[in-house]
Amino acid sequence: MERKEFIKTCGFACLGGAFLASFLESCGSTKIVSGTVSKDDLVIPVSDFLIKENEYKKYIVVHNDKLSYPVCVYRFNENQYSALFMRCTHQGAELQVFGDRLQCPAHGSEFSNKGIVQNGPADTNLRTFPVTIQNNQINISLR
């Protein structure tokens, strides 16, 4: 093998390894949970936010077969959460979460972690749900 070919081969191998590592890391940090619908509430345990003692996830995405779209729940502190319906108010596409913002893959609308429009074409804030905490359970009112 010639030097040029060796360097080229090693370069592609390094790039492939770096890509694979970042891909696997993003899969491992996925924050998707299944919630339970009880009466008019979507219920998840507070422990779904726990990473390890005194370390919490910023948000989780909650799925349930009874819901047409998932709900993104942001944790601001021990008692303050926001729950956002992950349906774009522009044309109804399912939103994607990128840290403290939600983005529409169809036309690029962006929303804050409180559901407020940051960039259009959407001109209406996201649907939000009241959140209460009771017996180490987060209750998201779907009414």
Side-chain angles (χ1 to χ4, degrees):
M1 181 180 286
E2 291 184 21
R3 181 173 182 244
K4 206 176 206 183
E5 187 180 336
F6 175 76
I7 291 172
K8 188 177 177 182
T9 303
C10 288
F12 285 126
C14 288
L15 286 173
F19 172 77
L20 182 61
S22 87
F23 176 75
L24 292 174
E25 182 180 333
S26 68
C27 290
S29 63
T30 302
K31 303 161 175 104
I32 299 173
V33 300
S34 293
T36 305
V37 174
S38 176
K39 297 182 183 176
D40 292 330
D41 290 347
L42 179 61
V43 181
I44 54 172
V46 171
S47 61
D48 280 350
F49 279 91
L50 189 63
I51 297 172
K52 58 184 178 183
E53 189 175 341
N54 296 323
E55 191 176 337
Y56 297 89
K57 299 172 188 167
K58 286 184 179 182
Y59 68 89
I60 58 175
V61 175
V62 185
H63 286 270
N64 185 286
D65 290 339
K66 294 180 182 177
L67 301 175
S68 54
Y69 291 87
V71 174
C72 185
V73 183
Y74 281 96
R75 181 185 191 275
F76 300 106
N77 61 45
E78 186 177 335
N79 299 311
Q80 187 180 11
Y81 295 83
S82 70
L84 311 170
F85 199 47
M86 293 179 64
R87 180 184 185 275
C88 184
T89 57
H90 175 234
Q91 289 187 346
E94 184 173 318
L95 299 172
Q96 298 172 335
V97 185
F98 296 98
D100 286 338
R101 65 186 170 86
L102 292 96
Q103 185 176 33
C104 179
H107 299 106
S109 294
E110 290 188 13
F111 303 86
S112 73
N113 58 8
K114 299 223 175 173
I116 299 167
V117 175
Q118 302 296 300
N119 287 317
D123 59 2
T124 306
N125 295 337
L126 295 179
R127 179 176 177 193
T128 60
F129 302 102
V131 178
T132 56
I133 303 163
Q134 194 172 23
N135 300 324
N136 290 321
Q137 298 286 321
I138 297 172
N139 299 304
I140 302 161
S141 176
L142 299 175
R143 289 187 216 161

